[in-house]
Amino acid sequence: MGKGGPVSARIGFGLTVVAAGLLTAALYMVFFVAPLEATLGISQKIFYFHVGAAINMLLSFGFCALAGLVYLSIGGMNRRWADIADAVGVATAEVGVTLGAIVLITGPLWARKAWGTWWTWEPRLTLSLMVFLLFLAYLALRAFAGSDRFGRGVAAGLSILGIPAVYFIHFAVDRWGGAHPQVVYKGGLTQPEMRIAFGLSVAAVFLLATTLSWLRLTIERERQHLDELYLEVDRRLG
Amino acid sequence: MDELRRYAAIVGKDLRVEFRTREILYTTTLFALLLVVIFAFAFLSDPTKSRDYGPGIIWVTVLFATTVGQNRLFDRERENDCLWSLLLSPAAPSTVFLAKATAQLAFALLMQVPTILLILVFFDLRVTDPFAFVAALALGNVALALVGTLFAAMLMNARMKEVLLPLVTYPLFVPVVIAGVKVTAVAVGAPIAEDPEVWLKFLLGFDMIFGVVTVMLFGRMVRA
């Protein structure tokens, strides 16, 4: 089987190198090339990574839901692909939650400077928090509901229900949080250098997320392989 | 037609067992009443302002007490190991699911009637729009029953199901609670500018979409 064999390791190494390079270039662009934003000053620079993390968090959760969909639609028909879909689900959810933590830490840091408060129940903040909590629950399921078929199935189901849930939460918090201050998003991205720095940051975080997901996926496949070997040993020893 | 009979048989079985033992109804109603008393001590400082926090208290009580009941919903199936027998019966998985969800909805509503009357009395709330008040609770409870029954079934044998069930369902319930509190607030005459009709349609949409998705997922998840 050799799921974590030399090929996937080499892909992981290649991804790491590219992600590290892009991150360095993005940091350089953000701090040495992109000009200071006129009204927000240095604190605006946190947005390059804050927004990058937010976009990639949603992407990760999207892939997690997709993996759940694949897992439940192939059901018991193809063991190998079910295992892969399941591993993709864990990997993307964990990376997504990590990115969510970055979003929810960098956001208040900036809000404290710009709005004078750590947190407001602004719709976009509330939505990010709810999606983050939803996938924390997914990870709790993975950790405590067992890694048998039941545990995997219920986790996959939750990730799929996340799609309509995000839609409804979005609508509800939008109307609910009507009177809160409006965020001036990307108000300062008028300079071309800023736009390049922004694009580079989003791409760098994307590659970082891809690298981490890939490495986590490799580990999960190894773990599944090990589980099978244990079962095999059990069978042979009767 | 056969499917409808099977559905009625499963719902009837659950209601019959419950009315004989009164396990879920008795415990959840008592729990809800105790919650109401605790909320009164925690929040009741100025009775003239009860319209501000009353709707929230109604929905938190409904949510907590319903979750306690949902954790017990599949107890008999687990103890007697007969969920698989139910699923092996001629009834389709979706029939089994809808029947269990209906039973859960019935338990929740029966528990909520005395509880909510008591909240209205204790907090001196006057319902000015009875239709919106009842409609929000009815639609909200359908949503809670659908999602709760799905995960209660799936977590039936999980080691920490009591904690896992609310962990999983509460993020999904957030929009229901937001909509429910808004409509209830308008229905008891709280001074907020909200159109209850929008939120009731929202709840109806939630019920329909989650109804379809949970029914489909239940079949998939038990087969997987």
Side-chain angles (χ1 to χ4, degrees):
Chain A
M1 308 251 303
K3 296 293 176 343
V7 179
S8 61
R10 243 176 275 156
I11 294 176
F13 182 73
L15 278 170
T16 311
V17 170
V18 178
L22 260 180
L23 266 176
T24 318
L27 279 170
Y28 180 77
M29 281 299 291
V30 167
F31 285 104
F32 297 105
V33 181
L36 271 187
E37 212 274 331
T39 47
L40 294 168
I42 189 95
S43 74
Q44 179 260 349
K45 291 197 186 289
I46 207 167
F47 265 137
Y48 293 112
F49 290 100
H50 174 76
V51 180
I55 293 172
N56 286 294
M57 169 187 80
L58 289 178
L59 266 180
S60 300
F61 291 150
F63 275 113
C64 180
L66 207 64
L69 215 55
V70 171
Y71 179 80
L72 284 186
S73 20
I74 41 183
M77 285 186 295
N78 189 322
R79 182 72 201 282
R80 188 176 136 79
W81 281 102
D83 276 354
I84 291 176
D86 184 61
V88 170
V90 190
T92 50
E94 283 184 7
V95 172
V97 164
T98 311
L99 291 169
I102 293 174
V103 172
L104 291 172
I105 290 168
T106 54
L109 281 178
W110 177 83
R112 178 77 185 146
K113 277 281 168 206
W115 299 339
T117 172
W118 294 107
W119 185 265
T120 75
W121 290 95
E122 191 265 338
R124 216 175 301 213
L125 268 68
T126 317
L127 181 66
S128 310
L129 177 67
M130 289 319 303
V131 177
F132 179 69
L133 287 177
L134 191 71
F135 280 88
L136 271 186
Y138 175 92
L139 291 186
L141 273 185
R142 307 288 324 210
F144 302 119
S147 55
D148 57 352
R149 286 163 162 203
F150 248 107
R152 289 168 157 204
V154 65
L158 178 64
S159 67
I160 294 169
L161 276 179
I163 301 170
V166 166
Y167 174 77
F168 278 99
I169 294 171
H170 180 68
F171 178 90
V173 297
D174 249 4
R175 269 188 79 91
W176 173 73
H180 283 285
Q182 279 302 303
V183 193
V184 191
Y185 262 93
K186 290 173 241 162
L189 284 190
T190 45
Q191 310 280 336
E193 290 95 341
M194 284 183 169
R195 257 172 278 160
I196 295 171
F198 178 75
L200 209 57
S201 310
V202 175
V205 179
F206 176 76
L207 253 131
L208 178 67
T210 313
T211 310
L212 291 174
S213 304
W214 179 263
L215 295 177
R216 182 66 184 85
L217 176 66
T218 322
I219 296 170
E220 186 62 19
R221 295 289 289 152
E222 286 291 339
R223 201 195 52 73
Q224 287 172 350
H225 186 48
L226 193 63
D227 275 356
E228 276 164 32
L229 290 180
Y230 272 126
L231 286 177
E232 184 75 24
V233 169
D234 265 1
R235 254 200 310 276
R236 298 257 169 112
L237 295 178
Chain B
M1 217 52 227
D2 277 354
E3 222 40 48
L4 212 63
R5 240 182 35 240
R6 289 170 192 139
Y7 166 84
I10 300 174
V11 178
K13 167 211 76 135
D14 266 17
L15 293 181
R16 203 154 49 239
V17 174
E18 180 56 35
F19 287 133
R20 282 179 193 160
T21 61
R22 293 188 204 89
E23 277 175 5
I24 294 179
L25 277 178
Y26 187 79
T27 50
T28 55
T29 311
L30 193 57
F31 178 66
L33 297 183
L34 286 167
L35 273 179
V36 173
V37 174
I38 286 171
F39 280 135
F41 290 133
F43 291 112
L44 198 60
S45 54
D46 181 0
T48 56
K49 293 212 179 79
S50 67
R51 284 185 309 189
D52 296 343
Y53 47 78
I57 287 174
I58 290 179
W59 280 90
V60 174
T61 310
V62 164
L63 193 62
F64 284 6
T66 305
T67 307
V68 171
Q70 286 173 346
N71 260 321
R72 300 271 81 85
L73 184 63
F74 284 91
D75 267 11
R76 281 181 206 101
E77 273 83 2
R78 195 194 55 214
E79 278 159 17
N80 303 318
D81 214 7
C82 58
L83 182 65
W84 298 119
S85 331
L86 265 184
L87 290 168
L88 286 172
S89 76
S94 54
T95 308
V96 175
F97 172 73
L98 286 175
K100 288 301 282 187
T102 309
Q104 155 61 30
L105 181 64
F107 301 155
L109 291 177
L110 283 173
M111 169 271 290
Q112 283 164 33
V113 171
T115 308
I116 289 171
L117 285 177
L118 202 67
I119 294 177
L120 294 180
V121 173
F122 276 4
F123 291 87
D124 193 24
L125 293 166
R126 288 208 182 97
V127 182
T128 52
D129 187 348
F131 169 74
F133 189 84
V134 174
L137 281 166
L139 291 172
N141 269 300
V142 171
L144 303 193
L146 286 169
V147 177
T149 305
L150 176 72
F151 285 103
M154 291 304 125
L155 292 172
M156 193 173 73
N157 292 311
R159 197 159 45 86
M160 303 210 300
K161 72 178 169 94
E162 269 84 4
V163 203
L164 284 176
L165 184 66
L167 273 187
V168 169
T169 53
Y170 282 12
L172 301 171
F173 288 160
V174 160
V176 178
V177 172
I178 292 177
V181 170
K182 287 284 185 200
V183 180
T184 308
V186 174
V188 297
I192 52 165
E194 278 289 350
D195 182 7
E197 206 186 306
V198 175
W199 288 112
L200 286 176
K201 279 184 189 153
F202 174 81
L203 282 172
L204 189 64
F206 190 99
D207 286 352
M208 293 198 306
I209 291 184
F210 274 78
V212 173
V213 179
T214 46
V215 166
M216 279 165 48
L217 279 180
F218 184 80
R220 293 269 169 202
M221 280 155 84
V222 292
R223 238 173 293 153

